[in-house]
Amino acid sequence: MKLNSEQIALVNAPVQGLTIGAAMAGTGKSTTIVERAKKILTDYPTGKLLMISFTRLSADDLRKKLKKNLTEEQLRRVITGTFHSVMGTVIRNQAIEVGLNPNFSIIDEYSTNTLYKRLLDTKIGENGLGEAIDKPIAEWVYSTFDWNKHSDRVSEGKYPYSFSARNINTIASSVGSLVNMAEPTELETGNFSSETLYRFAKSTRQSWNLYQHNEKGIAWVAGFCYNIFKESILEARKANVVTYDQILFICHLMTKSNLLDSFSESLLHTIVDEAQDTNALQFEFIDKIAPDSLTLVGDVHQSIYSFRGGRPDMFLKYMEKGIVYPLSRNYRSFQPILDAGNDVIAYNSEGREFLKRMTAATDLSEDFRGVVTYQYDTDKEEAEAIIKQIKFWHNRGVSYVDMAILVRSRQVLPILNKELQMAKIPLNDTTQFADFMKSEVMIDTLNFLKILINPQDIYAFLATLDRPKRGIGEVAIKKIEQAAAVHEQSVIEFILSENVKELTPGLQKKVKAYRDVYNELLNHNKDFNLQDAVDFLLDKTGYLTWGRSQKNAEAFDSKIATLTSLVDDFATEYISNNPQSTLFDQVNAFTFDMTSFVKEETPDGVTIATIHGSKGLEWDTVFMPGMEEEMFPGEAIDEHDLEDQRRLMYVGTTRARKHLVFTHAKSRVVRQDAKLTPSRFLKEANVE
């Protein structure tokens, strides 16, 4: 593609100083930053170029484009990855200096929640909050339930006596959220500003409920969560593991020393893609390693990950400090589609000073199929109409793979999915794939893989004790932990010792069965690659035999097939780029950001995705159902939340190349008691 004047200006921007690429949707951002990378590497024959992207998928895509455009020598000078992967590598290279074993493994969100849960259990106790927990924590816990139902009991100091695992896990998720929301200086003092407390409260339901009813109490809760987090660092080190949240925090500590100097000195320039999704600790890292030679590329109007700590306000501050190079010439969509996106985002106040209307690089032609809105009485009628349109366009030569259905909330999907399946429309349902990534099959596989590379990973160990099912539940694990404590042993040491004979005969038998599996895993072939390892553990753990003996054996086999295909695709790509990688490297890479890996199960199928999941993708035809108030936008906490959702509308709209269809219904099964009205976003986009 021939570069336009805006793109050329960004490519040729000075290497020194702060450069901002304000790249709107579909403006050839990836092509431009690859060309900028090529020019920098050509003009400067020494030094490394660091290129950071938001997800592994986008980092892999960037790596492929660089491979096509750079020489072998230039490629050797480029470091690409996500923030977490780059930071993880930096920490591993300085592991001894920060008190870690260089062979630490990185645990995912599920194991992290287990870690936080174990620490929370010690605070809350087996039977409830007890006398040791102050009222703000009781209120916080209760706010996971119906506040109005329990507020009187809370005010009277009548706290709950027990909590389910679900309640505790929900609370545990808040611990990591705080680290992603906080300013670096706040993590040094433990004192959090009102702005941080607001962001923290918004990130989880129970925290927001408390914030609304006891604003001062949320500060106490934040301090409680921060203490849990600091304790988690010590606990994780015992098992030689590090969490995603801890990676950010450790790098934060490294910025206060000279431990990043050698890495920084090796860098010629740093390019950060999707900078609008960067959080405060990540920006601090960038400021440390690239203070004088930095390019940030992003679109503040596509900042849709505030729940992960994304900070559009911080990106705007950098835009005010640097030289801004706008990219507004759109190569994806026809102008009427862009007009809808331009019009709706103009209602946002944040970033308005940098807003430039997108213009289409392509004139209207017969390929343009319109921007239309339809209303239906019910969600079933809506689904039937969408199916009719899909068939209509498919019969006229439009491939299923060139069509997508995008939703803000999966609440819209039950009826639609059912009707699509009955109509035998081939689908690439990425929302179901997201479910698979959270399935027992996926989680169990990851945990067994972690044991292969780090036998002392207590969180993977505990997670697999009863996988496949062998009757070692939470009560049994408590008994094991108590018995281990008597002998001043870890759970792993206890189970591997002769002391297991002190358990009841039944539990002893079950534990010994797991011990046999564990020892089998320890004796695996050290030359395994990732595919070999997965095949090995599925066999040796008895997982395949167990799964195929269940009532839902067919569904189990389907998940195993998805797993195998996923592992093969990942390993093939990763090993080709890293031929010297070990199983340790491959498992750690696979664990990193694995939830962002999307696989198309059907070569020619209509994509179903959330708008969050559609970021960076595009289709000829996009359907956006569920365009009603309280659905899209959903219930907005405040104007900031409404602006977040308006940015989501903007992202969804700009996924369409030729045809954009909005639909809304007067009634939905999931909202039987509500009289639905059209979304305000339709009016704002001038498409109602």
Side-chain angles (χ1 to χ4, degrees):
M1 180 180 89
K2 185 179 179 181
L3 300 183
N4 62 39
S5 58
E6 289 181 334
Q7 294 168 324
I8 291 171
L10 177 55
V11 169
N12 293 327
V15 173
Q16 298 302 312
L18 175 59
T19 297
I20 307 294
M24 304 187 76
T27 55
K29 175 191 64 175
S30 297
T31 298
T32 305
I33 62 176
V34 167
E35 288 297 321
R36 177 159 174 75
K38 183 178 180 179
K39 179 170 175 51
I40 291 172
L41 292 166
T42 301
D43 292 349
Y44 296 83
T46 60
K48 292 189 178 293
L49 176 66
L50 173 62
M51 302 187 74
I52 299 178
S53 197
F54 188 62
T55 67
R56 183 174 59 77
L57 274 179
S58 57
D60 287 348
D61 183 61
L62 186 59
R63 193 175 294 110
K64 290 175 184 176
K65 291 176 179 176
L66 289 167
K67 197 171 183 178
K68 289 181 181 179
N69 288 273
L70 302 182
T71 67
E72 288 294 326
E73 192 278 330
Q74 288 174 330
L75 277 173
R76 285 193 288 270
R77 294 169 57 201
V78 181
I79 304 168
T80 58
T82 63
F83 267 107
H84 281 103
S85 65
V86 171
M87 288 171 147
T89 300
V90 168
I91 293 171
R92 199 178 298 280
N93 291 338
Q94 302 279 342
I96 295 174
E97 287 84 348
V98 297
L100 293 170
N101 185 318
N103 289 324
F104 66 82
S105 55
I106 299 158
I107 59 175
D108 57 39
E109 61 181 293
Y110 311 108
S111 293
T112 300
N113 271 359
T114 301
L115 166 60
Y116 293 151
K117 180 181 179 297
R118 284 167 62 83
L119 292 170
L120 282 165
D121 280 342
T122 65
K123 305 292 183 187
I124 295 175
E126 292 183 20
N127 299 314
L129 293 170
E131 299 294 328
I133 303 297
D134 287 354
K135 182 178 176 182
I137 292 296
E139 292 180 330
W140 182 49
V141 173
Y142 250 131
S143 65
T144 64
F145 304 91
D146 184 339
W147 180 274
N148 293 324
K149 182 179 178 181
H150 299 290
S151 57
D152 290 343
R153 293 183 65 187
V154 172
S155 65
E156 295 170 5
K158 296 178 181 178
Y159 304 149
Y161 292 105
S162 62
F163 305 99
S164 67
R166 178 178 176 273
N167 300 136
I168 297 296
N169 284 333
T170 302
I171 295 166
S173 68
S174 296
V175 179
S177 293
L178 180 67
V179 178
N180 284 280
M181 302 295 167
E183 300 284 348
T185 53
E186 296 171 343
L187 295 176
E188 295 168 18
T189 63
N191 296 318
F192 302 100
S193 68
S194 57
E195 291 81 8
T196 296
L197 294 174
Y198 168 79
R199 288 193 297 270
F200 169 62
K202 278 183 61 180
S203 69
T204 55
R205 186 185 68 181
Q206 73 273 15
S207 297
W208 182 252
N209 286 343
L210 176 61
Y211 187 86
Q212 290 178 301
H213 292 89
N214 182 0
E215 189 170 339
K216 291 183 179 179
I218 201 67
W220 203 99
V221 167
F224 177 83
C225 286
Y226 189 45
N227 285 332
I228 291 289
F229 173 74
K230 287 189 291 186
E231 289 180 31
S232 78
I233 297 175
L234 299 176
E235 287 297 311
R237 288 188 180 187
K238 295 177 184 176
N240 196 31
V241 299
V242 173
T243 73
Y244 289 112
D245 308 323
Q246 291 172 9
I247 286 174
L248 296 179
F249 186 76
I250 293 169
C251 277
H252 158 67
L253 296 178
M254 294 175 75
T255 64
K256 307 303 175 184
S257 67
N258 63 354
L259 291 177
L260 295 176
D261 290 354
S262 59
F263 181 67
S264 176
E265 290 166 1
S266 71
L267 297 179
L268 165 65
H269 192 75
T270 297
I271 299 175
V272 179
D273 193 13
E274 304 290 357
Q276 76 279 351
D277 296 317
T278 304
N279 67 28
L281 291 181
Q282 291 165 339
F283 271 124
E284 179 192 47
F285 176 76
I286 289 298
D287 284 342
K288 180 69 175 180
I289 65 169
D292 306 312
S293 187
L294 174 64
T295 299
L296 300 177
V297 184
D299 181 5
V300 68
H301 310 296
Q302 294 188 74
S303 180
I304 58 175
Y305 292 103
S306 60
F307 60 91
R308 293 183 184 172
R311 295 284 300 277
D313 61 313
M314 293 198 69
F315 183 50
L316 286 170
K317 289 178 182 177
Y318 280 85
M319 293 181 77
E320 292 169 356
K321 295 189 295 184
I323 301 174
V324 179
Y325 296 83
L327 299 183
S328 61
R329 191 71 166 159
N330 183 287
Y331 294 89
R332 176 184 299 158
S333 310
F334 287 118
Q335 192 62 50
I337 295 173
L338 299 181
D339 287 340
N342 287 329
D343 290 346
V344 74
I345 203 63
Y347 280 82
N348 270 10
S349 60
E350 195 165 41
R352 186 177 290 167
E353 65 271 33
F354 295 104
L355 183 62
K356 190 173 181 179
R357 290 184 71 87
M358 293 177 290
T359 58
T362 307
D363 294 331
L364 282 180
S365 71
E366 61 184 14
D367 286 337
F368 176 62
R369 302 171 199 144
V371 179
V372 293
T373 302
Y374 300 109
Q375 183 180 57
Y376 302 95
D377 287 333
T378 67
D379 47 356
K380 187 175 186 301
E381 290 180 12
E382 177 189 56
E384 291 170 345
I386 290 173
I387 290 168
K388 187 175 180 180
Q389 289 197 56
I390 289 172
K391 289 181 175 180
F392 175 86
W393 290 110
H394 184 66
N395 290 336
R396 280 158 178 75
V398 180
S399 298
Y400 287 125
V401 76
D402 290 327
M403 292 184 271
I405 300 169
L406 306 182
V407 297
R408 184 196 74 84
S409 169
R410 294 171 62 176
Q411 283 186 306
V412 177
L413 291 177
I415 297 296
L416 182 56
N417 259 324
K418 180 182 178 182
E419 295 295 324
L420 285 163
Q421 291 168 13
M422 289 177 61
K424 298 186 179 340
I425 302 290
L427 302 173
N428 291 320
D429 191 342
T430 63
T431 66
Q432 290 188 9
F433 190 78
D435 286 341
F436 166 76
M437 301 303 281
K438 298 177 182 178
S439 68
E440 287 185 338
V441 167
M442 190 68 203
I443 295 170
D444 292 342
T445 300
L446 285 171
N447 281 320
F448 279 122
L449 283 170
K450 290 171 198 171
I451 290 174
L452 287 183
I453 65 170
N454 181 9
Q456 296 307 306
D457 186 338
I458 183 64
Y459 309 104
F461 188 91
L462 290 172
T464 55
L465 258 178
D466 197 39
R467 306 303 302 166
K469 289 287 186 182
R470 53 176 57 88
I472 308 177
E474 289 190 14
V475 174
I477 290 175
K478 288 283 186 186
K479 291 179 180 178
I480 295 169
E481 289 178 324
Q482 290 166 358
V486 170
H487 292 280
E488 298 182 342
Q489 293 177 307
S490 72
V491 171
I492 297 176
E493 290 170 338
F494 176 79
I495 287 178
L496 295 179
S497 74
E498 290 301 312
N499 293 327
V500 295
K501 63 186 180 185
E502 298 177 11
L503 300 174
T504 62
L507 182 55
Q508 186 182 152
K509 183 179 179 181
K510 296 170 184 176
V511 167
K512 285 183 175 179
Y514 178 81
R515 185 170 67 183
D516 291 342
V517 170
Y518 181 80
N519 286 327
E520 190 83 54
L521 296 184
L522 296 190
N523 293 323
H524 73 277
N525 186 331
K526 304 305 179 185
D527 294 327
F528 272 169
N529 59 29
L530 185 61
Q531 299 107 310
D532 295 333
V534 171
D535 290 341
F536 170 81
L537 67 87
L538 288 175
D539 176 36
K540 296 300 182 180
T541 61
Y543 205 82
L544 280 179
T545 303
W546 167 80
R548 288 165 178 168
S549 69
Q550 305 303 301
K551 291 181 180 179
N552 57 347
E554 187 175 339
F556 175 84
D557 272 340
S558 176
K559 288 178 180 177
I560 292 295
T562 302
L563 169 69
T564 304
S565 181
L566 173 63
V567 170
D568 286 347
D569 286 353
F570 172 84
T572 301
E573 179 76 22
Y574 182 82
I575 294 171
S576 68
N577 291 322
N578 304 274
Q580 302 303 312
S581 64
T582 64
L583 178 62
F584 182 89
D585 300 323
Q586 294 164 30
V587 172
N588 269 319
F590 188 55
T591 303
F592 260 124
D593 212 14
M594 60 99 182
T595 54
S596 70
F597 193 91
V598 177
K599 182 181 185 312
E600 292 187 354
E601 297 178 355
T602 308
D604 186 21
V606 176
T607 296
I608 299 177
T610 62
I611 299 176
H612 281 103
S614 73
K615 185 81 175 292
L617 304 175
E618 59 187 69
W619 298 267
D620 282 355
T621 296
V622 169
F623 299 92
M624 291 179 61
M627 295 301 302
E628 305 104 21
E629 290 290 304
E630 306 299 325
M631 295 295 290
F632 196 10
E635 183 179 358
I637 291 172
D638 54 22
E639 186 60 32
H640 290 291
D641 193 47
L642 184 62
E643 292 207 0
D644 280 346
Q645 296 197 52
R646 191 173 283 116
R647 286 192 287 267
L648 200 62
M649 171 72 171
Y650 171 77
V651 169
T653 298
T654 54
R655 299 309 95 195
R657 291 189 289 251
K658 301 176 180 180
H659 190 198
L660 180 59
V661 181
F662 298 103
T663 61
H664 54 96
K666 295 178 182 179
S667 67
R668 292 190 178 276
V669 171
V670 294
R671 301 290 304 278
Q672 291 183 358
D673 299 329
K675 186 177 181 181
L676 304 179
T677 58
S679 168
R680 73 190 74 183
F681 292 160
L682 297 175
K683 183 177 181 180
E684 293 174 358
N686 290 310
V687 295
E688 61 179 349

